[in-house]
Amino acid sequence: KAGVTQTPRYLIKTRGQQVTLSCSPISGHRSVSWYQQTPGQGLQFLFEYFSETQRNKGNFPGRFSGRQFSNSRSEMNVSTLELGDSALYLCASSLVSGEKLFFGSGTQLSVL
Amino acid sequence: QQPVQSPQAVILREGEDAVINCSSSKALYSVHWYRQKHGEAPVFLMILLKGGEQKGHEKISASFNEKKQQSSLYLTASQLSYSGTYFCGTGATPVSGGSNYKLTFGKGTLLTVNP
């Protein structure tokens, strides 16, 4: 069974640009969550999608958005990038909310 | 609110035991534990649910004190492969809470096991 796949693995952008990250969950998993990881801060919850609906959102500005498609694949978009957005963005899938999470390897975003 | 993990870091020799604690200011319904090795994705270890049900790893155990809103992860007879950063994630709503369910992670505990 294939794991959670995130693309791209690395991204370098400049301030003011926008970026889209992609996540393909494990087959059959309907819940996809996104987390931002920075050194010393742990995993900060961005949002969760379930059956194409955003179920919950963390404390991030509106520049961070996402969506989920009918095949459960999810995308995350960050507009007007800031230096502080540099981080590892992790996607995790689960069968349903609350069950164990399977994480992807993440997308390392660097904003210059 | 982010749960607080302690200690922030611990260094062990192979075969020694360790305890990692996770404390929340909110009433908890569930606690997750994950381990992340450097440059890799976090990997699931354990889920503890309110009411005592525990699902997870064979060689690592954990406790969940609902009254104190705390969980502890017990690593016994540590192996080199136990090295990594351990994260607890807390759920302040029932797992069946649907749209209100959110997992909030602590900042992590760096565990280093030396030969």
Side-chain angles (χ1 to χ4, degrees):
Chain A
K1 206 175 192 182
V4 178
T5 305
Q6 289 188 247
T7 56
R9 186 70 179 91
Y10 300 95
L11 263 180
I12 299 175
K13 293 286 187 179
T14 56
R15 279 182 299 173
Q17 288 187 309
Q18 77 165 27
V19 66
T20 299
L21 313 181
S22 180
C23 172
S24 293
I26 290 173
S27 178
H29 285 194
R30 297 167 66 188
S31 172
V32 174
S33 302
W34 288 88
Y35 292 88
Q36 181 194 66
Q37 185 175 28
T38 53
Q41 292 303 312
L43 301 157
Q44 302 287 317
F45 175 77
L46 281 156
F47 26 67
E48 183 204 0
Y49 285 87
F50 185 86
S51 294
E52 302 179 66
T53 301
Q54 186 180 92
R55 302 189 78 173
N56 212 333
K57 192 176 186 333
N59 296 323
F60 280 82
R63 301 185 294 107
F64 291 81
S65 62
R67 58 179 176 168
Q68 187 180 33
F69 302 95
S70 58
N71 61 359
S72 292
R73 191 177 71 85
S74 177
E75 286 183 348
M76 190 191 98
N77 186 77
V78 187
S79 62
T80 320
L81 284 166
E82 300 178 0
L83 295 178
D85 296 335
S86 295
L88 178 67
Y89 290 88
L90 290 163
C91 160
S93 74
S94 59
L95 277 169
V96 293
S97 294
E99 286 295 318
K100 66 179 180 180
L101 298 175
F102 293 82
F103 283 87
S105 297
T107 294
Q108 183 67 54
L109 173 65
S110 297
V111 182
L112 307 178
Chain B
Q1 187 134 6
Q2 202 171 21
V4 176
Q5 288 187 232
S6 63
Q8 289 184 319
V10 58
I11 300 175
L12 300 174
R13 292 226 169 194
E14 208 171 359
E16 292 181 336
D17 301 339
V19 180
I20 301 172
N21 300 302
C22 176
S23 180
S24 174
S25 59
K26 292 186 174 183
L28 300 178
Y29 285 84
S30 62
V31 179
H32 290 219
W33 286 95
Y34 293 82
R35 176 173 61 211
Q36 184 179 31
K37 293 181 181 287
H38 184 68
E40 299 181 9
V43 173
F44 170 80
L45 293 174
M46 190 91 57
I47 287 182
L48 301 105
L49 302 175
K50 185 175 182 179
E53 186 181 357
Q54 175 178 309
K55 299 190 261 186
H57 208 275
E58 290 181 0
K59 296 184 179 180
I60 297 173
S61 63
S63 65
F64 180 16
N65 187 323
E66 298 158 28
K67 287 185 179 179
K68 292 187 177 180
Q69 296 148 207
Q70 292 175 345
S71 176
S72 295
L73 187 72
Y74 304 96
L75 305 162
T76 56
S78 59
Q79 305 169 18
L80 296 176
S81 61
Y82 285 9
S83 292
T85 301
Y86 288 77
F87 292 100
C88 71
T90 55
T93 56
V95 170
S96 58
S99 60
N100 290 324
Y101 184 83
K102 182 173 75 173
L103 202 59
T104 304
F105 283 92
K107 294 184 179 182
T109 295
L110 178 61
L111 179 76
T112 304
V113 181
N114 293 321

Short mmCIF file of all heavy atoms in Angstrom, two decimals, chain A residues 58-102:
data_model
loop_
_atom_site.label_atom_id
_atom_site.label_comp_id
_atom_site.label_asym_id
_atom_site.label_seq_id
_atom_site.Cartn_x
_atom_site.Cartn_y
_atom_site.Cartn_z
N GLY A 58 -6.62 25.96 11.89
CA GLY A 58 -5.76 26.46 12.94
C GLY A 58 -5.66 27.97 12.90
O GLY A 58 -6.33 28.64 12.12
N ASN A 59 -4.78 28.51 13.74
CA ASN A 59 -4.64 29.96 13.86
C ASN A 59 -3.61 30.50 12.88
O ASN A 59 -2.54 30.98 13.28
CB ASN A 59 -4.25 30.32 15.30
CG ASN A 59 -5.35 29.96 16.27
OD1 ASN A 59 -6.53 30.09 15.96
ND2 ASN A 59 -4.95 29.49 17.44
N PHE A 60 -3.91 30.42 11.64
CA PHE A 60 -3.04 30.94 10.59
C PHE A 60 -3.81 31.99 9.79
O PHE A 60 -5.03 31.93 9.69
CB PHE A 60 -2.57 29.81 9.66
CG PHE A 60 -1.42 29.01 10.22
CD1 PHE A 60 -1.65 27.99 11.12
CD2 PHE A 60 -0.12 29.29 9.85
CE1 PHE A 60 -0.60 27.26 11.66
CE2 PHE A 60 0.95 28.57 10.36
CZ PHE A 60 0.70 27.56 11.27
N PRO A 61 -3.08 32.96 9.22
CA PRO A 61 -3.77 34.00 8.45
C PRO A 61 -4.44 33.43 7.21
O PRO A 61 -4.15 32.32 6.77
CB PRO A 61 -2.64 34.98 8.09
CG PRO A 61 -1.38 34.21 8.25
CD PRO A 61 -1.63 33.18 9.30
N GLY A 62 -5.34 34.25 6.64
CA GLY A 62 -6.10 33.82 5.49
C GLY A 62 -5.26 33.55 4.25
O GLY A 62 -5.76 32.98 3.27
N ARG A 63 -3.98 33.93 4.30
CA ARG A 63 -3.08 33.64 3.16
C ARG A 63 -2.90 32.13 2.98
O ARG A 63 -2.52 31.68 1.91
CB ARG A 63 -1.71 34.27 3.40
CG ARG A 63 -1.70 35.77 3.59
CD ARG A 63 -0.29 36.31 3.68
NE ARG A 63 0.42 35.85 4.87
CZ ARG A 63 1.41 34.95 4.86
NH1 ARG A 63 1.80 34.41 3.72
NH2 ARG A 63 2.01 34.61 5.98
N PHE A 64 -3.18 31.39 4.03
CA PHE A 64 -3.06 29.93 3.98
C PHE A 64 -4.44 29.34 3.67
O PHE A 64 -5.40 29.59 4.41
CB PHE A 64 -2.56 29.38 5.32
CG PHE A 64 -1.14 29.73 5.62
CD1 PHE A 64 -0.81 30.97 6.14
CD2 PHE A 64 -0.12 28.82 5.39
CE1 PHE A 64 0.51 31.30 6.41
CE2 PHE A 64 1.20 29.14 5.67
CZ PHE A 64 1.52 30.38 6.18
N SER A 65 -4.53 28.61 2.61
CA SER A 65 -5.81 28.01 2.25
C SER A 65 -5.57 26.62 1.69
O SER A 65 -4.43 26.24 1.39
CB SER A 65 -6.55 28.87 1.20
OG SER A 65 -5.78 28.93 0.01
N GLY A 66 -6.64 25.89 1.56
CA GLY A 66 -6.47 24.55 1.02
C GLY A 66 -7.75 24.07 0.38
O GLY A 66 -8.78 24.77 0.38
N ARG A 67 -7.67 22.89 -0.16
CA ARG A 67 -8.87 22.26 -0.70
C ARG A 67 -8.62 20.77 -0.82
O ARG A 67 -7.46 20.31 -0.79
CB ARG A 67 -9.25 22.84 -2.05
CG ARG A 67 -8.18 22.75 -3.14
CD ARG A 67 -8.70 23.34 -4.44
NE ARG A 67 -7.68 23.37 -5.48
CZ ARG A 67 -7.96 23.62 -6.76
NH1 ARG A 67 -9.20 23.87 -7.15
NH2 ARG A 67 -6.99 23.65 -7.66
N GLN A 68 -9.71 20.04 -0.97
CA GLN A 68 -9.61 18.60 -1.15
C GLN A 68 -10.49 18.21 -2.32
O GLN A 68 -11.61 18.70 -2.46
CB GLN A 68 -10.04 17.85 0.12
CG GLN A 68 -9.79 16.35 0.03
CD GLN A 68 -10.24 15.62 1.30
OE1 GLN A 68 -11.20 16.02 1.95
NE2 GLN A 68 -9.53 14.56 1.64
N PHE A 69 -9.99 17.31 -3.11
CA PHE A 69 -10.71 16.87 -4.30
C PHE A 69 -11.50 15.59 -4.02
O PHE A 69 -11.33 14.97 -2.97
CB PHE A 69 -9.73 16.66 -5.45
CG PHE A 69 -8.93 17.89 -5.78
CD1 PHE A 69 -7.67 18.09 -5.23
CD2 PHE A 69 -9.45 18.87 -6.61
CE1 PHE A 69 -6.93 19.23 -5.51
CE2 PHE A 69 -8.72 20.01 -6.90
CZ PHE A 69 -7.47 20.20 -6.34
N SER A 70 -12.31 15.20 -4.97
CA SER A 70 -13.19 14.05 -4.77
C SER A 70 -12.40 12.75 -4.58
O SER A 70 -12.89 11.79 -3.99
CB SER A 70 -14.16 13.91 -5.95
OG SER A 70 -13.45 13.77 -7.15
N ASN A 71 -11.15 12.71 -5.05
CA ASN A 71 -10.33 11.50 -4.85
C ASN A 71 -9.50 11.59 -3.56
O ASN A 71 -8.59 10.79 -3.35
CB ASN A 71 -9.41 11.29 -6.05
CG ASN A 71 -8.44 12.45 -6.27
OD1 ASN A 71 -8.47 13.43 -5.53
ND2 ASN A 71 -7.59 12.32 -7.27
N SER A 72 -9.83 12.56 -2.72
CA SER A 72 -9.19 12.80 -1.42
C SER A 72 -7.83 13.49 -1.50
O SER A 72 -7.29 13.88 -0.47
CB SER A 72 -9.05 11.52 -0.57
OG SER A 72 -10.31 11.06 -0.17
N ARG A 73 -7.30 13.66 -2.68
CA ARG A 73 -6.06 14.42 -2.81
C ARG A 73 -6.30 15.85 -2.34
O ARG A 73 -7.42 16.38 -2.47
CB ARG A 73 -5.59 14.42 -4.26
CG ARG A 73 -4.18 14.97 -4.46
CD ARG A 73 -3.75 14.87 -5.93
NE ARG A 73 -4.46 15.80 -6.78
CZ ARG A 73 -4.11 17.08 -6.98
NH1 ARG A 73 -3.05 17.57 -6.35
NH2 ARG A 73 -4.81 17.84 -7.79
N SER A 74 -5.26 16.43 -1.75
CA SER A 74 -5.44 17.76 -1.19
C SER A 74 -4.33 18.68 -1.66
O SER A 74 -3.22 18.24 -1.97
CB SER A 74 -5.45 17.69 0.34
OG SER A 74 -5.56 18.97 0.93
N GLU A 75 -4.65 19.94 -1.73
CA GLU A 75 -3.66 20.96 -2.04
C GLU A 75 -3.71 22.05 -0.98
O GLU A 75 -4.77 22.34 -0.41
CB GLU A 75 -3.94 21.60 -3.41
CG GLU A 75 -3.61 20.73 -4.59
CD GLU A 75 -3.85 21.44 -5.92
OE1 GLU A 75 -4.48 22.52 -5.93
OE2 GLU A 75 -3.42 20.89 -6.95
N MET A 76 -2.55 22.62 -0.73
CA MET A 76 -2.45 23.74 0.18
C MET A 76 -1.83 24.91 -0.58
O MET A 76 -0.86 24.72 -1.31
CB MET A 76 -1.58 23.38 1.37
CG MET A 76 -1.62 24.39 2.49
SD MET A 76 -0.36 24.09 3.72
CE MET A 76 0.88 25.24 3.18
N ASN A 77 -2.38 26.08 -0.40
CA ASN A 77 -1.89 27.25 -1.09
C ASN A 77 -1.49 28.33 -0.08
O ASN A 77 -2.20 28.55 0.91
CB ASN A 77 -2.98 27.80 -2.02
CG ASN A 77 -2.47 28.95 -2.88
OD1 ASN A 77 -1.77 28.75 -3.85
ND2 ASN A 77 -2.84 30.15 -2.52
N VAL A 78 -0.37 28.95 -0.34
CA VAL A 78 0.03 30.09 0.48
C VAL A 78 0.27 31.26 -0.47
O VAL A 78 1.08 31.16 -1.40
CB VAL A 78 1.32 29.82 1.28
CG1 VAL A 78 1.59 30.97 2.25
CG2 VAL A 78 1.22 28.51 2.04
N SER A 79 -0.45 32.34 -0.25
CA SER A 79 -0.30 33.51 -1.11
C SER A 79 0.56 34.56 -0.41
O SER A 79 0.74 34.53 0.81
CB SER A 79 -1.67 34.09 -1.45
OG SER A 79 -2.32 34.52 -0.28
N THR A 80 1.10 35.48 -1.20
CA THR A 80 1.90 36.58 -0.67
C THR A 80 2.88 36.09 0.39
O THR A 80 2.83 36.45 1.57
CB THR A 80 1.00 37.69 -0.08
OG1 THR A 80 -0.15 37.88 -0.90
CG2 THR A 80 1.76 39.01 0.00
N LEU A 81 3.78 35.25 -0.04
CA LEU A 81 4.72 34.61 0.88
C LEU A 81 5.55 35.60 1.68
O LEU A 81 5.96 36.66 1.18
CB LEU A 81 5.66 33.69 0.09
CG LEU A 81 5.06 32.37 -0.37
CD1 LEU A 81 5.95 31.71 -1.42
CD2 LEU A 81 4.84 31.43 0.81
N GLU A 82 5.77 35.24 2.94
CA GLU A 82 6.62 36.03 3.84
C GLU A 82 7.80 35.17 4.27
O GLU A 82 7.73 33.94 4.21
CB GLU A 82 5.81 36.47 5.06
CG GLU A 82 4.61 37.34 4.72
CD GLU A 82 3.80 37.71 5.95
OE1 GLU A 82 4.18 37.28 7.07
OE2 GLU A 82 2.79 38.43 5.79
N LEU A 83 8.86 35.83 4.74
CA LEU A 83 10.05 35.08 5.17
C LEU A 83 9.69 34.06 6.25
O LEU A 83 10.23 32.95 6.27
CB LEU A 83 11.11 36.04 5.70
CG LEU A 83 11.72 37.02 4.68
CD1 LEU A 83 12.72 37.94 5.37
CD2 LEU A 83 12.38 36.27 3.53
N GLY A 84 8.78 34.42 7.13
CA GLY A 84 8.38 33.55 8.22
C GLY A 84 7.62 32.32 7.81
O GLY A 84 7.34 31.44 8.63
N ASP A 85 7.26 32.24 6.55
CA ASP A 85 6.54 31.06 6.04
C ASP A 85 7.50 29.92 5.74
O ASP A 85 7.06 28.80 5.44
CB ASP A 85 5.74 31.40 4.78
CG ASP A 85 4.65 32.41 5.05
OD1 ASP A 85 4.19 32.50 6.21
OD2 ASP A 85 4.26 33.13 4.10
N SER A 86 8.80 30.18 5.81
CA SER A 86 9.79 29.13 5.58
C SER A 86 9.61 28.05 6.63
O SER A 86 9.67 28.32 7.83
CB SER A 86 11.21 29.70 5.66
OG SER A 86 11.44 30.62 4.62
N ALA A 87 9.39 26.84 6.19
CA ALA A 87 9.08 25.75 7.12
C ALA A 87 8.97 24.45 6.35
O ALA A 87 8.94 24.43 5.12
CB ALA A 87 7.76 26.02 7.85
N LEU A 88 8.84 23.36 7.11
CA LEU A 88 8.49 22.07 6.54
C LEU A 88 6.98 21.92 6.66
O LEU A 88 6.42 22.06 7.75
CB LEU A 88 9.19 20.94 7.30
CG LEU A 88 8.89 19.51 6.83
CD1 LEU A 88 9.45 19.28 5.42
CD2 LEU A 88 9.47 18.50 7.81
N TYR A 89 6.32 21.69 5.57
CA TYR A 89 4.86 21.52 5.57
C TYR A 89 4.55 20.03 5.42
O TYR A 89 4.90 19.41 4.42
CB TYR A 89 4.21 22.35 4.47
CG TYR A 89 4.31 23.83 4.78
CD1 TYR A 89 5.42 24.56 4.38
CD2 TYR A 89 3.32 24.46 5.52
CE1 TYR A 89 5.53 25.91 4.71
CE2 TYR A 89 3.42 25.81 5.84
CZ TYR A 89 4.53 26.52 5.44
OH TYR A 89 4.65 27.85 5.78
N LEU A 90 3.88 19.52 6.43
CA LEU A 90 3.57 18.09 6.48
C LEU A 90 2.09 17.87 6.24
O LEU A 90 1.25 18.59 6.78
CB LEU A 90 3.96 17.51 7.84
CG LEU A 90 5.45 17.41 8.14
CD1 LEU A 90 5.68 17.21 9.63
CD2 LEU A 90 6.07 16.27 7.35
N CYS A 91 1.83 16.85 5.49
CA CYS A 91 0.45 16.42 5.25
C CYS A 91 0.30 15.06 5.93
O CYS A 91 1.24 14.25 5.95
CB CYS A 91 0.23 16.32 3.75
SG CYS A 91 -1.16 15.32 3.24
N ALA A 92 -0.86 14.81 6.50
CA ALA A 92 -1.12 13.54 7.14
C ALA A 92 -2.51 13.06 6.77
O ALA A 92 -3.45 13.87 6.67
CB ALA A 92 -1.00 13.66 8.65
N SER A 93 -2.65 11.77 6.57
CA SER A 93 -3.98 11.25 6.26
C SER A 93 -4.39 10.20 7.30
O SER A 93 -3.54 9.60 7.97
CB SER A 93 -4.02 10.64 4.85
OG SER A 93 -3.36 9.39 4.79
N SER A 94 -5.68 10.03 7.43
CA SER A 94 -6.23 9.00 8.31
C SER A 94 -7.57 8.55 7.74
O SER A 94 -8.17 9.26 6.93
CB SER A 94 -6.40 9.52 9.74
OG SER A 94 -7.26 10.63 9.79
N LEU A 95 -8.00 7.39 8.18
CA LEU A 95 -9.28 6.87 7.68
C LEU A 95 -10.39 7.86 7.99
O LEU A 95 -11.18 8.23 7.13
CB LEU A 95 -9.57 5.53 8.32
CG LEU A 95 -8.90 4.32 7.67
CD1 LEU A 95 -9.07 3.08 8.55
CD2 LEU A 95 -9.48 4.05 6.28
N VAL A 96 -10.45 8.24 9.26
CA VAL A 96 -11.41 9.24 9.71
C VAL A 96 -10.71 10.13 10.73
O VAL A 96 -9.62 9.82 11.19
CB VAL A 96 -12.66 8.60 10.37
CG1 VAL A 96 -13.47 7.83 9.35
CG2 VAL A 96 -12.27 7.71 11.53
N SER A 97 -11.32 11.24 11.07
CA SER A 97 -10.75 12.15 12.07
C SER A 97 -10.52 11.41 13.38
O SER A 97 -11.37 10.63 13.82
CB SER A 97 -11.70 13.31 12.33
OG SER A 97 -11.84 14.10 11.19
N GLY A 98 -9.37 11.67 13.98
CA GLY A 98 -9.12 11.11 15.30
C GLY A 98 -8.36 9.81 15.30
O GLY A 98 -7.83 9.40 16.34
N GLU A 99 -8.30 9.16 14.16
CA GLU A 99 -7.54 7.92 14.07
C GLU A 99 -6.06 8.25 13.84
O GLU A 99 -5.70 9.40 13.59
CB GLU A 99 -8.06 7.06 12.93
CG GLU A 99 -9.38 6.38 13.26
CD GLU A 99 -9.26 5.38 14.40
OE1 GLU A 99 -8.26 4.63 14.42
OE2 GLU A 99 -10.15 5.36 15.27
N LYS A 100 -5.21 7.23 13.91
CA LYS A 100 -3.79 7.50 13.78
C LYS A 100 -3.47 8.15 12.44
O LYS A 100 -4.08 7.84 11.43
CB LYS A 100 -2.98 6.23 13.98
CG LYS A 100 -3.16 5.17 12.92
CD LYS A 100 -2.27 3.97 13.26
CE LYS A 100 -2.40 2.87 12.23
NZ LYS A 100 -1.53 1.71 12.58
N LEU A 101 -2.51 9.06 12.51
CA LEU A 101 -2.12 9.81 11.32
C LEU A 101 -0.95 9.14 10.63
O LEU A 101 -0.02 8.65 11.27
CB LEU A 101 -1.72 11.24 11.71
CG LEU A 101 -2.79 12.11 12.36
CD1 LEU A 101 -2.19 13.44 12.79
CD2 LEU A 101 -3.95 12.32 11.43
N PHE A 102 -1.01 9.15 9.31
CA PHE A 102 0.11 8.71 8.49
C PHE A 102 0.65 9.95 7.79
O PHE A 102 -0.08 10.58 7.02
CB PHE A 102 -0.35 7.68 7.45
CG PHE A 102 -0.79 6.38 8.05
CD1 PHE A 102 -2.07 6.23 8.56
CD2 PHE A 102 0.08 5.30 8.12
CE1 PHE A 102 -2.49 5.03 9.13
CE2 PHE A 102 -0.33 4.09 8.67
CZ PHE A 102 -1.61 3.96 9.18
#
